[in-house]
Amino acid sequence: CQSRGVTTPAARVRVVMDADTRCGNVRTVGVWNYKSRLGWPPHRVVNQTAGSAGPRLVVLREETEEELKGLLPLPCGRDESVVFRVGRTLNPITLPPLRLPSP
């Protein structure tokens, strides 16, 4: 996965709306954060280290249509994917074509 990255369905990736939103990863056994003061389902915060470019992202363990407080879904097709580079955190290296909502 370090040479080709990790591919994740875009439907499981959300953007943290507000830079001041306090979210991070809890050091436990496993990858997923199971408790969130914002009520998010199991997730992992990525692209959050000092060297990361762009907004913090949240990868959800499971796909959901539910609106999640403080998070925006990526505006792209359901069959699109995001490719992440593996390092100190996951950083997106390939984003799907983003579609703006119709006015």
Side-chain angles (χ1 to χ4, degrees), residues 47 52-56:
N47 205 47
S52 298
R56 287 176 295 158

Side-chain angles (χ1 to χ4, degrees), residues 13-84:
V13 179
R14 305 287 172 98
V15 178
V16 178
M17 289 187 338
D18 185 355
D20 295 330
T21 298
R22 294 181 65 202
C23 61
N25 296 311
V26 178
R27 292 185 190 265
T28 62
V29 176
V31 171
W32 306 108
N33 298 299
Y34 286 95
K35 293 183 180 181
S36 162
R37 63 182 185 77
L38 297 170
W40 299 342
H43 65 281
R44 184 82 185 166
V45 179
V46 300
N47 205 47
Q48 84 284 16
T49 60
S52 298
R56 287 176 295 158
L57 302 172
V58 170
V59 177
L60 303 173
R61 186 180 72 180
E62 303 290 333
E63 196 174 314
T64 182
E65 296 292 324
E66 204 177 314
E67 255 189 57
L68 300 173
K69 183 178 181 176
L71 298 178
L72 289 173
L74 291 178
C76 59
R78 291 193 49 75
D79 295 329
E80 303 290 346
S81 296
V82 178
V83 180
F84 291 97

